[in-house]
Amino acid sequence: MSPKLKLWYFNLPGRAEVTRLILNYGSVPFEDYTFTFEEWNDIKAKANLPFGQVPVMEVDGKMLAQSSAIERYAAKLAGLAPSDPWEAAKVDEVLGFVAEANDLFAATYGIKDADAKIKARQEVCAGPLKDKFAKVTQMIEAAGGEFLTGSKPTHPDFVLFKLTSGLVGGTMDGVPTDLLDAYPVIKAHHNRVAALPTVAKMYEKVTEGPYLAYKALP
Amino acid sequence: MSPNLKLHYFDFPGRAEATRLMLNYGGIPFEDATFQREQWASLKPKMPFGQVPVLEVDGKMLAQTSAIERYAAKLAGLAPADPWEAAKVDEAAAYLTETAELFMPTFAIQDAEARAKARQELCAGPLKEKFARMAEMIEAAGGEFLGGPKPGYPDFALFSFVSWLVCGAVDGMPSGLLDAHPAIKAHHNRVAALPTVTKMYESVTEGPRLSYKPLP
């Protein structure tokens, strides 16, 4: 019987959305406990968070921190973790490579000047991201054209989906909302994940705002 | 029977040492295929992502340090079967990665003085907090290792990180860093004293790997 799960995070995708996507895909019940930035200081003071950060996953009352650890655990509960060590390693390899794409923009968040921030992001899109997406395209094609490791989605597919949705949702100044038009295989991957029944259900009520990019892109 | 393993990396600790430590700890045979910087240009096209480390497993290539380390941990018997225990190992490993990444941006600082200043600020601030938290984790686990009475993947990751920080290759670091963190120093020396680890560095008399032996 699956443990009692409570996922603690802000009411935005951020570092919790991949876990939400995975748990829903695997039909693993969990409480999605979200809160605002205003409520955060109070919550942080009262809760016993391992590293004073979120997300945390409360599992039968015990706390698990670190988004990558939470995602892996969720992937296991959802039946997405291969039992064969070599297959698991190949999934980890893809995961590591795709997750690196998140880091490409990390340095740009701290840039105070709006114009400089936009310029920095444009440089990432024109350079490192282009190289990364070219390689990711090859990986999808090598795996049969549908998902990153084969004919079914695994953990890295949800990481890529969250990355692409977050990039083109309109919240990243300097990153155009039509970025994916230059990467048809990646856009198709995005829409293939968005079309999965559990994923479509997660965002079915969304009509506007950043979550719109988690639905199929036109 | 364990697969035929060949680890491709430069002839220094870097991103391969934790893997080497774990495979040796687990008594897993492997070919440590190191090369010099000069040879890298000709080897690069053969690697899946144009990077190393790469672990060749029965002729098939596995890239990405974290994937290689996890696989090595499994072969070495360091990956718990229970999902919750495995998650707690992942949690500690991720915290270690976060700590190591604090220093990555400093390598891009061209001016030596500015670079040293940035590193000293990290040591006085974020690193101090992270080391304090790790000291608490070790204490909560019984005082010896991060996850319990025996070393696990995060212990080899911490040992690698600490040894690298003080080996002299990272310029501008404050001297006596570990003296301010006795629990971390004790952990380092406890890992260094493990028989397989001692054996790895027994012939070392100078250079960066000196800090992988017990520190005075």
Side-chain angles (χ1 to χ4, degrees):
Chain A
M1 191 175 122
S2 94
K4 186 156 144 50
L5 304 175
K6 180 174 173 180
L7 179 63
W8 299 47
Y9 195 62
F10 300 104
N11 59 346
L12 41 89
R15 293 177 178 278
E17 201 71 358
V18 173
T19 297
R20 294 171 178 135
L21 284 156
I22 290 173
L23 291 173
N24 284 326
Y25 180 73
S27 302
V28 181
F30 69 104
E31 182 190 343
D32 195 10
Y33 173 51
T34 63
F35 41 84
T36 63
F37 288 113
E38 292 73 37
E39 294 168 314
W40 169 232
N41 286 324
D42 234 23
I43 290 170
K44 185 173 167 164
K46 291 180 185 150
N48 191 14
L49 305 173
F51 300 102
Q53 294 174 319
V54 282
V56 287
M57 177 74 90
E58 206 179 322
V59 183
D60 288 334
K62 296 175 295 187
M63 298 295 223
L64 176 70
Q66 295 291 328
S67 53
S68 60
I70 296 167
E71 286 174 20
R72 289 179 168 282
Y73 181 71
K76 273 183 194 150
L77 297 181
L80 291 179
S83 46
D84 173 65
W86 173 255
E87 280 180 45
K90 291 309 269 178
V91 170
D92 282 347
E93 185 189 60
V94 173
L95 189 62
F97 190 70
V98 172
E100 262 172 24
N102 280 318
D103 298 337
L104 295 177
F105 290 94
T108 69
Y109 285 97
I111 300 172
K112 301 260 173 358
D113 177 69
D115 285 340
K117 188 188 270 190
I118 287 171
K119 184 164 184 289
R121 286 171 176 176
Q122 285 167 347
E123 281 168 6
V124 172
C125 290
L129 185 69
K130 193 172 169 190
D131 295 338
K132 187 66 92 173
F133 272 3
K135 191 76 176 98
V136 171
T137 294
Q138 281 174 7
M139 288 162 90
I140 294 170
E141 286 171 340
E146 297 197 60
F147 297 105
L148 280 160
T149 60
S151 56
K152 293 209 247 174
T154 51
H155 179 179
D157 292 290
F158 295 108
V159 173
L160 180 59
F161 175 72
K162 193 267 161 190
L163 168 75
T164 51
S165 304
L167 279 180
V168 303
T171 60
M172 295 270 293
D173 297 335
V175 181
T177 54
D178 61 357
L179 173 77
L180 297 184
D181 290 344
Y183 306 100
V185 171
I186 296 188
K187 187 174 181 180
H189 176 276
H190 173 281
N191 288 354
R192 195 170 295 117
V193 175
L196 292 168
T198 57
V199 180
K201 189 168 196 294
M202 279 173 74
Y203 308 104
E204 64 186 349
K205 300 203 175 70
V206 172
T207 51
E208 53 169 10
Y211 279 107
L212 212 51
Y214 288 74
K215 296 165 81 87
L217 298 164
Chain B
M1 192 176 118
S2 92
N4 195 295
L5 303 177
K6 186 170 172 179
L7 180 63
H8 298 271
Y9 195 64
F10 298 99
D11 181 25
F12 55 74
R15 289 178 176 279
E17 202 73 350
T19 295
R20 293 172 178 134
L21 283 155
M22 286 190 286
L23 290 174
N24 285 325
Y25 180 74
I28 306 296
F30 70 103
E31 183 189 339
D32 197 10
T34 61
F35 51 84
Q36 306 295 318
R37 284 192 189 279
E38 302 77 54
Q39 299 165 278
W40 174 228
S42 59
L43 289 167
K44 190 175 156 112
K46 300 181 185 165
M47 304 301 165
F49 297 96
Q51 294 175 319
V52 280
V54 165
L55 184 66
E56 210 177 316
V57 181
D58 288 333
K60 297 175 292 188
M61 306 294 240
L62 177 69
Q64 291 289 322
T65 309
S66 58
I68 294 167
E69 284 179 2
R70 289 178 165 284
Y71 182 71
K74 269 181 195 153
L75 295 180
L78 294 176
D82 173 66
W84 173 256
E85 282 179 43
K88 292 309 265 178
V89 167
D90 287 346
E91 185 189 62
Y95 196 61
L96 242 321
T97 302
E98 232 177 54
T99 304
E101 278 171 4
L102 289 174
F103 289 86
M104 289 309 134
T106 66
F107 284 90
I109 303 172
Q110 308 288 5
D111 177 66
E113 255 184 65
R115 192 166 61 232
K117 184 166 182 286
R119 287 171 177 174
Q120 279 153 24
E121 280 170 5
L122 283 174
C123 291
L127 182 66
K128 192 174 166 186
E129 286 171 29
K130 286 198 170 344
F131 271 175
R133 187 73 190 88
M134 286 180 215
E136 284 171 9
M137 286 162 78
I138 293 167
E139 214 180 291
E144 300 202 52
F145 299 106
L146 282 159
K150 292 208 255 175
Y153 168 18
D155 296 288
F156 292 108
L158 177 56
F159 174 74
S160 266
F161 170 64
V162 166
S163 303
W164 168 76
L165 261 193
V166 303
C167 76
V170 186
D171 59 295
M173 291 292 287
S175 59
L177 172 69
L178 293 186
D179 293 333
H181 301 283
I184 301 296
K185 189 175 185 180
H187 177 274
H188 172 279
N189 289 352
R190 200 168 293 120
V191 175
L194 293 168
T196 57
V197 181
T198 303
K199 191 167 197 293
M200 275 174 77
Y201 306 106
E202 64 188 350
S203 310
V204 172
T205 51
E206 54 170 8
R209 283 203 160 95
L210 210 52
S211 64
Y212 290 72
K213 295 163 82 90
L215 297 162

